[in-house]
């Protein structure tokens, strides 16, 4: 079966460059983007039940742009005026720059790493007497608390938003040759929306070990794994699979 259509379970990048759009053009494929999960903010009543007092934390750790958005949302709903001397520790520079949506960047104490919570530890240890707030989703990469605990950072996790399955009911009668997943939550959403899903000859691609485990745990067939030594990106894995499949190899 030749590959003619692919569904990427991520938001459409719009006008931004995308290796998946490049594949569509190169191999004359139909490539659609559709997020299988969505983020919903915790309401103020639920947040208050957590008994987190924002004023107790002179430092905040941001691991995503969603965390930034929901921290400032909750602060506004709590009528908490964020002090100018609040210190921001961001996982990446892009998250740090995203703070410009809410604060005057050059007038704030902002620190950022390359892509790992470990990158921030030397900077955080310089403020070891601070209490750190970690705004997060209900789903958090386990290495983040593991590293913070190991470094004896005094922090409090605050769940400000949740990851839930998106409504995919409009896709019920739409078929694709390849479904591409990037998280276990995407697989959960597939079955939340289509409990009787049967793979048949559909190809399933999974990025990352946890996603691949979720695919196999559901009794599905993993046709296109990534990353691998030969294919460090999902786009590369897809391209290799398409070349071999569409040539009948």
């Amino acid at each position: 079966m030749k590959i003619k259509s692919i569904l990427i379970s991520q938001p459409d990048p719009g006008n931004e460059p995308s290796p998946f759009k490049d594949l569509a053009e190169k191999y004359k494929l139909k490539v659609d983007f559709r997020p299988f999960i969505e983020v919903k903010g915790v309401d103020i009543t639920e947040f208050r039940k957590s008994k987190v007092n924002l004023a107790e934390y002179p430092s905040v750790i941001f691991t995503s742009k969603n965390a930034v958005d929901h921290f400032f949302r909750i602060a506004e709903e709590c009528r908490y005026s964020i002090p100018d001397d609040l210190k921001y520790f961001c996982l990446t520079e892009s998250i740090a720059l995203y703070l410009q949506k809410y604060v005057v960047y050059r007038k704030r104490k902002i620190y950022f790493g390359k892509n790992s919570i470990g990158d921030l530890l030397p900077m955080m240890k310089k403020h070891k007497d601070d209490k750190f707030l970690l705004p997060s989703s209900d789903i958090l990469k386990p290495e983040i608390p593991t590293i913070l605990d190991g470094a004896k950072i005094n922090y409090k996790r605050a769940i400000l938003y949740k990851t839930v399955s998106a409504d995919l009911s409009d896709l019920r009668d739409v078929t694709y040759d390849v479904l591409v997943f990037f998280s276990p939550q995407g697989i959960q959403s597939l079955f939340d929306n289509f409990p009787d899903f049967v793979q048949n000859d559909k190809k399933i691609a999974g990025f990352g070990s946890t996603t691949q485990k979720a695919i196999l745990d559901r009794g599905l067939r993993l046709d296109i794994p990534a990353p691998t030594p030969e294919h460090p990106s999902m786009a590369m894995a897809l391209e290799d699979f398409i070349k071999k499949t569409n040539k009948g190899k």
Side-chain angles (χ1 to χ4, degrees), residues 155-172:
Y155 76 98
K156 171 74 174 178
R157 179 182 174 190
I159 296 176
L160 304 187
Y161 56 103
K162 295 182 178 181
T163 304
V164 300
S165 297
D167 180 5
L168 307 174
S169 56
D170 58 304
L171 295 179
R172 186 170 302 277

Side-chain angles (χ1 to χ4, degrees), residues 213-224:
K213 183 178 184 300
I215 290 168
L216 298 174
D217 285 349
R218 285 286 190 168
L220 300 174
R221 186 183 65 254
L222 176 62
D223 300 291
I224 311 168

Side-chain angles (χ1 to χ4, degrees), residues 38-92:
E38 60 186 20
V39 169
K40 288 193 175 180
V42 166
D43 66 36
I44 190 63
T45 302
E46 186 175 351
F47 172 71
R48 283 179 173 144
K49 288 179 182 177
S50 70
K51 297 183 179 179
V52 172
N53 179 4
L54 298 180
E56 293 182 3
Y57 301 91
S59 294
V60 60
I61 305 166
F62 288 130
T63 59
S64 71
K65 293 177 182 178
N66 279 325
V68 173
D69 286 335
H70 289 283
F71 171 76
F72 284 95
R73 173 185 65 82
I74 284 290
E76 183 178 1
E77 291 178 5
C78 288
R79 295 186 173 86
Y80 172 63
S81 180
I82 296 174
D84 291 345
D85 61 354
L86 181 67
K87 295 183 278 292
Y88 302 93
F89 294 81
C90 304
L91 204 63
T92 65

Side-chain angles (χ1 to χ4, degrees), residues 3-237:
I3 303 303
K4 297 179 180 177
S5 60
I6 301 175
L7 180 61
I8 308 292
S9 61
Q10 289 185 330
D12 191 323
N15 294 325
E16 294 296 316
S18 166
F20 302 115
K21 289 186 175 182
D22 294 341
L23 282 180
E25 183 175 348
K26 185 174 180 178
Y27 294 97
K28 310 303 179 189
L29 306 170
K30 172 183 169 63
V31 174
D32 290 339
F33 296 84
R34 180 66 179 274
F36 275 43
I37 55 177
E38 60 186 20
V39 169
K40 288 193 175 180
V42 166
D43 66 36
I44 190 63
T45 302
E46 186 175 351
F47 172 71
R48 283 179 173 144
K49 288 179 182 177
S50 70
K51 297 183 179 179
V52 172
N53 179 4
L54 298 180
E56 293 182 3
Y57 301 91
S59 294
V60 60
I61 305 166
F62 288 130
T63 59
S64 71
K65 293 177 182 178
N66 279 325
V68 173
D69 286 335
H70 289 283
F71 171 76
F72 284 95
R73 173 185 65 82
I74 284 290
E76 183 178 1
E77 291 178 5
C78 288
R79 295 186 173 86
Y80 172 63
S81 180
I82 296 174
D84 291 345
D85 61 354
L86 181 67
K87 295 183 278 292
Y88 302 93
F89 294 81
C90 304
L91 204 63
T92 65
E93 184 178 10
S94 65
I95 296 171
L97 292 172
Y98 187 70
L99 283 169
Q100 294 177 102
K101 181 177 177 181
Y102 298 99
V103 301
V104 180
Y105 190 89
R106 60 185 176 81
K107 293 185 177 181
R108 298 295 183 268
K109 297 176 181 178
I110 299 172
Y111 311 89
F112 57 85
K114 293 181 179 178
N115 198 36
S116 165
I117 193 71
D119 297 337
L120 292 171
L121 290 181
M123 292 169 270
M124 295 172 74
K125 287 179 178 178
K126 290 181 181 178
H127 305 276
K128 60 182 184 345
D129 295 329
D130 279 14
K131 292 173 68 176
F132 291 80
L133 185 67
L134 175 62
S136 81
S137 164
D138 55 329
I139 299 169
L140 182 66
K141 290 182 178 178
E143 61 264 27
I144 292 175
T146 297
I147 291 172
L148 292 175
D149 291 339
K152 294 182 170 52
I153 300 297
N154 183 7
Y155 76 98
K156 171 74 174 178
R157 179 182 174 190
I159 296 176
L160 304 187
Y161 56 103
K162 295 182 178 181
T163 304
V164 300
S165 297
D167 180 5
L168 307 174
S169 56
D170 58 304
L171 295 179
R172 186 170 302 277
D173 299 319
V174 182
T175 60
Y176 292 89
D177 298 326
V178 181
L179 305 177
V180 184
F181 294 95
F182 297 88
S183 71
Q185 293 75 39
I187 301 298
Q188 180 63 46
S189 177
L190 174 68
F191 282 92
D192 284 346
N193 281 275
F194 311 110
D196 301 322
F197 175 79
V198 178
Q199 184 173 358
N200 292 329
D201 59 356
K202 294 182 184 70
K203 309 303 180 186
I204 290 183
F207 188 86
S209 59
T210 57
T211 305
Q212 292 163 15
K213 183 178 184 300
I215 290 168
L216 298 174
D217 285 349
R218 285 286 190 168
L220 300 174
R221 186 183 65 254
L222 176 62
D223 300 291
I224 311 168
T228 65
E230 299 81 11
H231 309 118
S233 73
M234 177 54 75
M236 291 174 67

